[in-house]
Amino acid sequence: MDLNKNRKIFIQLFFLTVLVAFLAKLFYLQIYDDSYKDLASQNVIRKITLYPNRGLIYDREDRLIVQNDPVYDLYVIPQQVRSLDTLKFCRLLSIEKEDFIKRMQKISAYSRYRPSIFLKQLTAEDYTQFLEHNFDFPGFYGEIRTTRKYPHASAAHILGYTGEVNRALIEKEKYYKSGDYIGISGLEKHFEKSLRGKRGKKFILVDVMNRDKGPFNDGNFDTTAVSGEKLYTTLDIKLQQYGESLMRNKKGSIVAIEPASGEVLALVSSPNYNPNILTGRERGEAFKALQKDTLDPLYNRALMSSYMPGSIFKIIQALVGQQMGVLKPSTAFYCDGSKIGDHVTPGYYALFEAIKQSSNQYFYLAFKKMINQNIAESTFEDSRIGLDKWKEMVVSFGLDQKLPIDFGNTRSGYIPGSDYYDGIYGKGRWAFSTIYSISIGQGEVEMTPLQMANLSAIVANKGFYYVPHMIRGVSEPGIIDTLYTTKRHTVVDSQYFDIVMDAMQGVLEGEGGTARMSRIEGITICGKTGTVENPHGKDHSVFIAFAPREDPKIALGVIVENSGYGSTYAAPILSLMIEKYLNDTISDKRKWLEKRMLEADLIKQEE
């Protein structure tokens, strides 16, 4: 009985020993394979990480706008470094000897046996030159990976950039390891999981001279890297580049949308930067320079800035006023500028002329009727009820809320309601006479450039919009979130848009229209100028428009900071964008206007 028991224990111990030996070998291969203990043949097993190609990004015409370039990370195992010609090594890699010593000391203090990155992102040319002498530098080897390249050097705020993961992210996201790169902003960030792909690995035998002796175990332990998914965007990269050239040396933004789909055609934030400078070995220094730049080129004005909209807000007032029953096309007010500053000839103005000539007093009086409808005993309570009813209609235009665009955070802008004024003045202590500045898009009203362009799309569609978005497919075109394919309707009936569109057409074509210099022969444009008061300097120039009127293909919002009237810069820039998009060229008759916009340096003028 004891003999059988002892035999059983012996067999169990034998199998346990075999299992421990197997697990130890597996642990060695997967965890400690880089300790590089010499084998009998003086070969060692090296684990190579196979970094996946990050997903490519295309514009709406399937033009490649983000691609990958090969680079090499140079690794070192300090224990393997011997008889090194330091001067030759430093000369090949264009580094100083002091830098070499500091790097080696830091790496050796961490581990002498584990591989550590000595130098990141060597170009293929630099690494090939180093590789020719690699046998002189035992302990050093390279691993290939890719870095981003932007062939059009454009759309930095849309595409975003990548950067190395930090320790906090590694602890939070188990997928990432030290040395990995991740999307930090823009599309690179918001579609990180689709773009990043999946790492692979392979095991090779290497002799003491760092020479590759072939795969270990016939590659049975190797896994293949899986490339990231492709992104298909709605962006027209040619239009984007043109918009960036028009906004050079100016502060502000351009947003262009296809009204029928909500697809973003261009989104320009200026000043901007060449996205290629945030790749490669010099990325860190370039990023610091961008952060220190007082013009703040990293800031996305198109999504994150909010401005008083000025006179473009009169479009909403005209539509809401009709829906509330306060305004009709024939509704006329006498305007002489006595109540609120006006630049029109004194006289009676109906709705069409009031929009076309941008009468402040007309919309002051119209807003007064919207707010004070004499439905309450107290003037204060009447104003409170009227304002909240008005706000409910206005926010249906996508205002006072974040438009959930699919590649970045946005601001919500602001539309004040009774709760806001109660907090400022106290309940029952304010009335229309307190808040009248919002009648013409001043005061507390704020809109983002994205919301301005979306307003233009809403008018083009006679009352509805799709949430603006940049992606038309992941892996393949046509598969997007239903959030971006669902119509959102305003509370204003479509019948009320015709008179507004007539007047917006008159802004460019009619006698006394505020943007006649920006009309385009053969293209019917509907637009509205705005001059936005700026408490910190010269007024901002604003313009929204869509074209062609009968079958709108493009709707835009443009704001040029500190540049004066809406007709001075915003309207010409927007009209050039329309002509470029619809005709693919600028007519000879308007070349002078294009030249003027391209050469204008408003930043220098500020200084």
Side-chain angles (χ1 to χ4, degrees), residues 220-438:
N220 289 327
F221 291 99
D222 298 351
T223 59
T224 304
V226 179
S227 296
E229 296 178 290
K230 297 175 181 178
L231 284 189
Y232 294 89
T233 74
T234 66
L235 182 69
D236 185 318
I237 194 63
K238 297 299 182 184
L239 186 66
Q240 176 75 21
Q241 287 180 302
Y242 187 61
E244 289 179 8
S245 67
L246 291 171
M247 290 297 292
R248 189 179 299 118
N249 297 320
K250 305 170 187 68
K251 294 179 183 177
S253 59
I254 302 171
V255 180
I257 297 171
E258 183 181 71
S261 64
E263 294 182 352
V264 176
L265 304 172
L267 188 141
V268 176
S269 176
S270 183
N272 58 17
Y273 61 94
N274 182 343
N276 287 301
I277 69 174
L278 293 186
T279 62
R281 291 170 62 184
E282 306 303 321
R283 176 192 178 280
E285 291 303 314
F287 189 75
K288 289 179 183 177
L290 290 173
Q291 285 183 311
K292 292 178 181 178
D293 192 328
T294 56
L295 296 175
D296 205 3
L298 290 170
Y299 183 63
N300 191 338
R301 285 172 164 81
L303 301 185
M304 294 303 296
S305 288
S306 58
Y307 308 84
M308 290 184 289
S311 291
I312 66 170
F313 196 68
K314 294 169 183 174
I315 297 299
I316 294 177
Q317 296 286 55
L319 292 166
V320 170
Q322 290 182 89
Q323 185 66 37
M324 293 177 75
V326 169
L327 296 179
K328 295 179 180 179
S330 59
T331 302
F333 297 110
Y334 184 78
C335 302
D336 60 4
S338 60
K339 297 291 184 182
I340 189 168
D342 230 337
H343 301 286
V344 299
T345 303
Y348 281 95
Y349 285 81
L351 186 56
F352 176 89
E353 284 295 327
I355 295 172
K356 187 184 77 171
Q357 297 195 44
S358 200
S359 170
N360 287 341
Q361 192 169 350
Y362 184 96
F363 287 98
Y364 163 87
L365 295 169
F367 185 57
K368 185 176 183 180
K369 290 188 69 175
M370 292 183 227
I371 300 303
N372 295 146
Q373 298 186 32
N374 299 316
I375 57 178
E377 293 183 4
S378 164
T379 299
F380 300 111
E381 185 61 22
D382 197 43
S383 295
R384 179 187 183 86
I385 294 171
L387 181 65
D388 285 343
K389 183 179 179 181
W390 169 85
K391 178 178 177 177
E392 182 181 346
M393 293 186 176
V394 170
V395 298
S396 72
F397 285 79
L399 306 185
D400 201 43
Q401 59 192 282
K402 292 183 178 182
L403 289 173
I405 198 166
D406 53 1
F407 72 93
N409 193 23
T410 66
R411 293 189 69 174
S412 61
Y414 193 67
I415 301 297
S418 61
D419 54 345
Y420 172 81
Y421 292 114
D422 284 348
I424 298 296
Y425 302 105
K427 192 171 182 180
R429 298 178 64 87
W430 59 270
F432 170 77
S433 59
T434 315
I435 65 172
Y436 68 84
S437 62
I438 67 176

Side-chain angles (χ1 to χ4, degrees), residues 574-587:
L574 188 150
S575 72
L576 289 166
M577 290 286 286
I578 287 177
E579 187 173 7
K580 187 72 170 179
Y581 184 67
L582 296 181
N583 293 347
D584 198 38
T585 187
I586 303 301
S587 67

